[in-house]
Every structure is written in structure tokens, then in C-alpha cells.
Amino acid sequence: MTTVHQPPRGIAARVPAQDSATAGQRAAAQMLGLRNVTLPAAVISAAAELLDDRLGEQSDAVTREATAAVLSRLRAAIGQDHPGR
């Protein structure tokens, strides 16, 4: 019996293979498929704090850019548009 694997469709087609993609590449691909979820503001604020702490440690430009974009959206979601507020 032969198994035929269908190529990924939609957002899955844009996400690089797990073994070859950096965290930044996977995050950037996920940003293409934005959708809304409901979270407590404290969870969003905590995530923003953790990302802000790690932003300077990112080794590649794609990861830094994706981290900064996610951090910006998290801060905007809770009305904290500027760091340190």
C-alpha cells in the first residue's frame, strides 16, 4: 500500500518545516494567520514582560523582528504602547 502525503494548505503551507526553521521564522509565519482570542490582561502583560526581557538576546534578525512585532501587538492589546509603562 502506498501512502500519498498531501502538501500543506493555507497557513500550514507558509510555516517552514520544524526541523529547519528558527523560532523567528515560525513566529513570523504564525503572524500571517492572525485570529482573535480572549485572554486575561495579566497573561498578556506577563507575556510582554518575558518577550521584552528576551528581545536583546535573539541571535538572528528574523527572530528579533518577529519578537518585536509580537511584543508591540501585546502591548497595544493592553493599552501599553510604550515600554516601562
Side-chain angles (χ1 to χ4, degrees):
M1 173 183 246
T2 303
T3 303
V4 177
H5 294 282
Q6 296 294 326
R9 296 178 186 211
I11 188 68
R14 297 176 189 224
V15 178
Q18 292 291 330
D19 57 344
S20 65
T22 67
Q25 290 169 327
R26 290 189 305 271
Q30 290 298 321
M31 292 297 288
L32 295 174
L34 291 175
R35 64 181 191 274
N36 293 327
V37 296
T38 302
L39 292 171
V43 171
I44 296 171
S45 182
E49 288 291 332
L50 293 169
L51 284 175
D52 190 38
D53 186 55
R54 299 290 311 272
L55 185 59
E57 299 175 14
Q58 305 305 326
S59 60
D60 67 276
V62 173
T63 301
R64 280 192 306 274
E65 188 175 329
T67 302
V70 170
L71 183 56
S72 176
R73 288 181 180 267
L74 289 175
R75 286 185 174 143
I78 57 174
Q80 185 183 23
D81 297 331
H82 303 288
R85 280 183 61 192

